[in-house]
């Protein structure tokens, strides 16, 4: 790129260096020495001042300059020399004294020194602390703001002299930039509202100043372009900033101080192009390896890249090491005061807990930076230092977190990690409401996974705390919030782009939240925790030779937490998967033993006791009562005061011996520990099953037991309250309702039952048994079916008991929702109640009602079936027999009323038979001891069936028979047509299948033939190759096989030419001899053509005695006809595998025994004489199927074949060759088929060949 002009800070213009590799550093134009003219001496005398070894005190030098009255140039050069040595204070002092001497002259002389003074103050501002360092007095430290005010004073003074002085525009723009860096970031404005903060206004003023600098320099001042780009970057306009940096880079590609590539990379980073940003910084580092900014930015890039991996990921270590050791450490060595490097290195020492180093680096980052984000990082480091110490100072950490957040704007624009740290401090201070409020704000803005995790955990802890304290407050909303948040975290783990590490605590929280409502999901969460723990094991893979089966998994589980295995077993037990639960409990016991061996401080006795009890309960659920008793007895042997184990033993004894030992065990248990509420509950259940029903509820033994429990032990015992409600509900159901007084008494008894149920529900809103009792009372007393359905539906979702479905079925019957009632009854049958006659009777009843409503004979037949099943299970129950007879009567009435088209004669006859059975059944039931209904009513039903319905069915049978006979012909005709159509379709289908099978069979046969042909040809080819090898090799005198030697080429060709000439003369001269010679020639030509194809395996001898043939033979181009044709096929020698094909092609080309053959032979010999060294290596054959096969051979191989052919021709006579030709022709026709076997018939079917080749075998018919 050609060098361009650039405007510098002083407004002058100069050329860039011709060599781009030459980099101009700052102060490079300051000379090493300067001559100060001395007044009173000769003009040529002057005082030489070494600008590289300046005095520490410039007072003497300033005195010299004042005395000699030198111009401003000398003052500025000497000041710049001091600034070059970083003695900025001396430079400012020199300029101040110089401007004092210039006051007497033209005021415009002060513009240059004032501008330079402004720049020096701006330099000092960059190096001054932002805030007062810790431990220093506030009045002794000059901050950034002090120097900015001094720079402003210099700039204002210069502006009063000449406001249009060009360097002032650039200086004023930089001043505004530095001033904006000290102003706090703007708060988040409302959407669409303009940002009117002081910082934004200051940045806009800086942009205006930079544009003025560009205007006065005609667009050549690249420092102004850089300043404007920096201002745009601070405003968040990264695209405009990128354009500015790229403009500078295009015009000044070798500029390195400042380096526009740094700005380009920063803009690309903010725009989301992080890899491109890295490339820009790497280019800057390539040009200047000592660039501290490029090094630290690349270090930050690789730190960011390492954050995509978990710290346990193998890829994390190398990337983080590269970031810290290769780039960050180098940047720190280059400049230990660089704020960004200090902040970055501080995070590294934070992980190493080097608190003093962290404090030092963080305070450097805060004090020396002029970038708010770096200052925020410094405050954040201080906050984390105070937070993570062994004895954290929470108030100080909270203050630092707030400062870190405010340094980036606070509010919605604040620093997310700092706000997250504030949340952690609030949690430690037990301010949970404030923590939740902050977390919700964070989630609204950033969807932070960590924030969602902690907020979900806080809501979950609130739920668990209220459950533990027995608080009745409704926490369903908190449960929903916690579940939603934690599930969102769990879903984020599945995103491969986020590369998040799953946290088992999230799954444990979810399992506890799902425990009651959705136990399957809770179990799934625990399984995931188990898998995560197994994945973290170092030896999770089985050794060689061992499969990862259930035994290996059980061995791995023994290394897991016993509590986790116990919880999984409990969920399996509640799901009635007793075998899986037993395995987990046994594995948990083994895990307890191993945990005790690893850490003797763990109290494993409580764990073993709890898990053993759960194992015994699992044995009970599986029906293994003896094993359960053994475990309970073992627990009592270790802890004889374990009441729960003794209670279960008494219950098992009652189940095994309900008559003698069981009741005694229950009584002994009650006498031993009658104050235990669990024991009293079990004893109350025992009384309800074994007591005699009392007429008066006050005298009921069970009622007295519950009343005593509520009065003397616990008035809030939920089991006693529910039991009392059950007692009053049963009593109310059996009470008389003849008079109004009886009905009122019955209603009050129902209300008493509801009171007990309601009290139990107040104590435990999830008591499904109390809720079901209230629903039953609503149906039986209030007839409030809708409310009852709602209650039963809620109970159904909680209690897995058939009684709930039975009650739902009853209510749906009353609501005349028969389909839903049938579903409920059938669901009850699935709970091991398939042989319950009561449920079957209910199904028979609802199907009967459905049949009557729909006038469906099928529904009534189903009702009859269920009724018969109920009677078969309980044949002694006479009311089941009544149900069958009643359904039969109803079915007969329905069929009588149905029109003839909707019934059949067979149905009516069966209904008549059922009617007779029903009449007999009614008679038997009426004569029984305890009929379900009054005998008179039953006898009347029997008489009605005997008198009225019997005659009605007889008439129905007669009319139905006449109807069906009348329509029999039509029905028969329609039936025959339908059957004929069915037969026709079946025949068409059968024919199509047969045709398809025949096609498949033909294809298989063709494939088999082609495969067989391929095998035969392959065998012949192998035999031919063996013979060729025998012909090519011989045995020498030492008994070793060697290749035969070749004769000279010219001699071989001359001999062959003589033989051909003699053969031609014989053919022209005489008949029989000529014919033999022609045949021999054809044979030789055919052998040659076959040898040219390496894939051909047909042996020309056709038998076992033929001589071995060479691999390849030469073919000659010859004319077989007289006149030259227009088609290429007329100029080719045709070859085939059989003699017949040769004759066919010869006739087609006009060949035969006429004179044309002689002319063709003569011209062929002439062509051979003209060129003995060149042979045509192509042979083409056009057959009836338009196939052409071309073979090309090398000239050397053709010469070898000619020699071998001559050797073979010397061994054979003409007669022998004729015999070989005849034998070959006959063998080809009798062996395998080829294109030449059908010279005058239909062409060979190419599709068959293709089908044969599709199986993978080579097709010999297509490669001759």
């Amino acid at each position: 790129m050609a060098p361009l002009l650039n405007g510098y800070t002083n407004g002058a213009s100069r050329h860039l260096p011709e060599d781009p590799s030459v980099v101009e550093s700052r102060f490079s134009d300051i000379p090493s020495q300067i001559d100060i003219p001395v007044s009173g001496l000769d003009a040529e005398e002057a005082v030489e001042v070494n600008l590289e070894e300046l005095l520490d005190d410039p007072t003497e030098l300033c005195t010299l300059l004042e005395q000699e009255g030198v111009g401003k140039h000398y003052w500025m050069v000497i000041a710049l020399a001091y600034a070059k040595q970083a003695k900025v204070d001396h430079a400012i002092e020199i300029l101040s004294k110089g401007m004092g001497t210039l006051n007497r002259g033209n005021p415009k002389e002060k513009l240059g020194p004032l501008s330079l003074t402004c720049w020096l103050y701006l330099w000092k501002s960059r190096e001054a602390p932002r805030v007062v360092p810790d431990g220093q007095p506030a009045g002794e430290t000059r901050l950034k703001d002090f120097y900015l005010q001094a720079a402003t004073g210099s700039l204002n003074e210069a502006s009063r002299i000449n406001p249009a002085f060009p360097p002032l525009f650039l200086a004023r723009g930089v001043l505004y930039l530095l001033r904006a860096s000290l102003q706090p970031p703007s708060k988040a404005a409302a959407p669409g509202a303009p940002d009117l903060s002081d910082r934004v206004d200051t940045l806009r003023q800086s942009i205006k100043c930079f544009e003025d600098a560009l205007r006065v320099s005609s667009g050549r001042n690249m420092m102004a372009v850089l300043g404007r780009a920096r201002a745009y970057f601070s405003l968040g306009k990264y695209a405009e900033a990128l354009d500015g940096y790229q403009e500078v880079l295009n015009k000044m590609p070798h500029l390195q101080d400042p380096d526009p590539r740094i700005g380009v990379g920063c803009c690309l980073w903010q725009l989301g192009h992080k890899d491109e940003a890295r490339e820009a910084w790497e280019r800057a580092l390539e040009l200047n390896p000592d660039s501290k900014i490029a090094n630290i930015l690349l270090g930050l890039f690789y730190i960011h890249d390492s954050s995509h991996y978990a710290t346990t990921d193998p890829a994390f270590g190398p990337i983080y090491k590269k970031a810290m050791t290769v780039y960050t450490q180098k940047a720190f060595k280059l400049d230990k005061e660089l704020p960004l490097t200090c902040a970055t290195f501080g995070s590294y020492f934070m992980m190493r807990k080097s608190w003093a180093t962290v404090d030092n680096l963080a305070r450097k980052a805060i004090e020396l930076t002029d970038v708010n984000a770096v200052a925020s990082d410094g405050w954040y480091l201080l906050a984390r230092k105070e937070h993570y110490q062994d004895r954290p100072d929470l108030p100080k950490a909270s203050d630092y977190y707030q400062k870190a957040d405010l340094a980036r704007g606070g509010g919605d624009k604040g620093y997310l990690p700092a706000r997250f740290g504030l949340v952690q401090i609030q949690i430690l201070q037990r301010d949970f409401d404030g923590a939740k409020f902050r977390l919700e704000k964070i989630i609204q803005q950033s969807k932070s996974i960590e924030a969602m995790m902690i907020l979900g955990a806080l809501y979950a802890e609130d739920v668990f705390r209220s459950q533990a304290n027995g608080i009745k407050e409704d926490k369903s909303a908190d449960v929903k919030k916690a579940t939603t948040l934690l599930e969102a975290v769990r879903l984020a783990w599945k995103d491969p782009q986020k590369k998040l590490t799953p946290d088992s605590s999230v799954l444990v929280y979810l399992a506890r939240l799902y425990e009651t409502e959705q136990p399957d999901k809770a179990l799934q969460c625990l399984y995931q925790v188990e898998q995560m723990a197994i994945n973290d094991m170092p030896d999770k893979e089985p050794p060689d030779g061992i499969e990862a089966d259930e035994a290996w998994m059980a061995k791995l589980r023994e290394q897991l937490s016993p509590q986790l295995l116990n919880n999984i077993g409990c969920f399996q037990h509640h799901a009635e998967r007793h075998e899986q639960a037993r395995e987990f409990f046994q594995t948990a016991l083994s895990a307890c033993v191993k945990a005790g061996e690893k850490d003797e401080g763990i109290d494993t006795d409580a764990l073993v006791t709890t898990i053993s009890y759960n194992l015994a309960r699992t044995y009970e659920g599986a029906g293994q009562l003896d094993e359960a008793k053994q475990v309970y007895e073992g627990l009592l042997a270790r802890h004889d005061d374990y009441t729960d184990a003794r209670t279960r033993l008494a219950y098992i004894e009652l189940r095994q011996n309900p008559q003698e030992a069981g009741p005694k065990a229950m009584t002994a248990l009650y006498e031993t520990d009658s104050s235990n509420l669990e024991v009293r509950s079990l004893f109350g259940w025992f009384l309800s099953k074994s007591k005699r029903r009392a007429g008066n509820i006050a005298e009921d033994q069970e009622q007295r037991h519950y009343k005593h429990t509520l009065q003397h032990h616990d008035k809030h015992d939920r089991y006693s309250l529910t039991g009392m409600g059950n007692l009053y509900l049963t009593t109310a159901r059996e009470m008389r309702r003849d008079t109004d007084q009886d009905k009122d008494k019955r209603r009050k008894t129902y209300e008493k039952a509801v009171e007990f149920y309601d009290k139990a529900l107040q104590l435990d809103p999830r008591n499904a048994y109390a809720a079901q009792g209230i629903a039953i009372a609503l149906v039986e007393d209030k007839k409030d079916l809708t409310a009852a359905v709602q209650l039963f539906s809620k109970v159904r979702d909680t209690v897995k008991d058939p009684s709930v479905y039975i009650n739902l079925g009853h209510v749906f019957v009353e609501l005349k929702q028969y389909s839903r009632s049938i579903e409920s009854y059938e669901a009850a049958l699935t709970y091991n109640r398939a042989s319950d006659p009561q449920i079957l009777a209910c199904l028979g009843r609802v199907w009967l009602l459905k049949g009557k409503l729909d006038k469906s004979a099928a529904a009534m037949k189903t009702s009859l079936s269920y009724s018969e099943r109920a009677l078969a299970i309980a044949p002694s129950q006479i009311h089941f027999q009544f149900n069958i007879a009643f359904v039969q009567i109803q079915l007969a009435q329905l069929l009588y009323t149905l029109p003839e088209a909707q019934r059949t004669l067979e149905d009516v006859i069966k209904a008549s038979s059922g009617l007779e059975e029903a009449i007999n059944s009614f008679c038997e039931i009426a004569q029984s001891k305890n009929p379900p209904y009054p005998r008179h009513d039953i006898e009347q039903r029997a008489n009605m069936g005997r008198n009225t319905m019997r005659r009605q069915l007889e008439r129905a049978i007669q009319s139905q028979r006449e109807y069906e006979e009348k329509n029999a012909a039509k029905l028969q005709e329609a039936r025959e047509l339908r059957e004929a159509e069915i037969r026709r379709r079946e025949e068409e289908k059968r024919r199509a299948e047969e045709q398809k099978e025949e096609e498949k069979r033909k294809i298989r046969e063709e494939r088999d033939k082609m495969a067989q042909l391929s095998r035969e040809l392959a065998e012949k080819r192998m035999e031919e190759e063996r013979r060729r090898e025998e012909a090519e090799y011989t045995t020498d005198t030492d008994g070793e096989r060697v290749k035969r030697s070749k004769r000279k080429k010219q001699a071989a060709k001359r001999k062959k030419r003589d033989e051909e000439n003699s053969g031609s003369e014989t053919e022209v001269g005489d008949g029989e001899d000529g014919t033999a010679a022609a045949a021999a020639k054809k044979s030789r030509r055919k052998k040659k053509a076959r040898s040219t194809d390496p894939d051909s395996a047909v042996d020309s001898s056709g038998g076992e005695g033929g001589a071995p043939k060479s691999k390849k033979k030469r073919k000659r181009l010859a004319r077989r006809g007289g006149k030259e044709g227009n088609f290429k096929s007329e100029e080719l020698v045709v070859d085939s595998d059989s003699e017949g094909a040769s004759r066919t092609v010869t006739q087609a080309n006009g060949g035969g025994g006429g004179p044309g053959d002689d002319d063709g032979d003569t011209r062929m010999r002439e062509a051979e004489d003209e060129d003995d060294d060149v042979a045509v290596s192509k042979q083409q054959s056009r057959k009836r199927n338009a196939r052409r096969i071309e073979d090309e051979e090398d000239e050397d191989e053709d010469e070898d074949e000619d020699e071998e052919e001559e050797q073979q021709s010397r061994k054979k006579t003409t007669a022998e060759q004729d015999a070989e030709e005849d034998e070959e022709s006959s063998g080809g026709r009798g062996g395998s088929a080829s294109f030449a076997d059908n010279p005058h018939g239909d062409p060979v079917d190419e599709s068959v060949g293709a089908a044969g080749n599709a199986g993978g075998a080579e097709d010999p018919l297509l490669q001759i």
Side-chain angles (χ1 to χ4, degrees), residues 1092-1105:
T1092 57
D1093 190 355
D1095 296 333
S1096 178
V1098 180
D1099 190 358
S1100 61
S1101 63
E1104 298 179 355

Side-chain angles (χ1 to χ4, degrees), residues 16-34:
L16 297 176
E18 296 293 339
D19 186 5
S21 62
V22 177
V23 179
E24 286 190 351
S25 60
R26 297 188 183 186
F27 304 104
S28 60
D29 54 351
I30 302 300
S32 60
Q33 62 186 13
I34 187 172

Side-chain angles (χ1 to χ4, degrees), residues 829-844:
L829 287 176
T830 59
Y831 285 85
N832 297 325
R833 303 286 292 273
S835 300
D836 191 331
Q838 298 296 335
I839 301 177
L840 294 172
C842 291
L843 278 168

Side-chain angles (χ1 to χ4, degrees), residues 62 66 75 93-103 110 113:
C62 290
E66 289 176 356
W75 293 95
E93 180 183 355
I94 292 171
L95 290 173
S96 298
K97 292 182 178 180
M99 285 186 291
T101 62
L102 296 175
N103 284 335
K110 298 174 58 178

Side-chain angles (χ1 to χ4, degrees), residues 1064-1100:
S1064 176
E1065 293 171 0
T1066 305
E1067 180 181 357
V1068 174
D1070 198 17
E1072 185 176 351
D1073 294 338
T1075 304
K1081 184 176 181 180
K1082 288 183 181 178
S1083 177
R1084 287 196 303 273
R1085 197 160 56 239
K1086 181 169 65 175
K1087 293 176 184 176
K1088 187 190 300 182
R1090 289 184 176 177
S1091 301
T1092 57
D1093 190 355
D1095 296 333
S1096 178
V1098 180
D1099 190 358
S1100 61

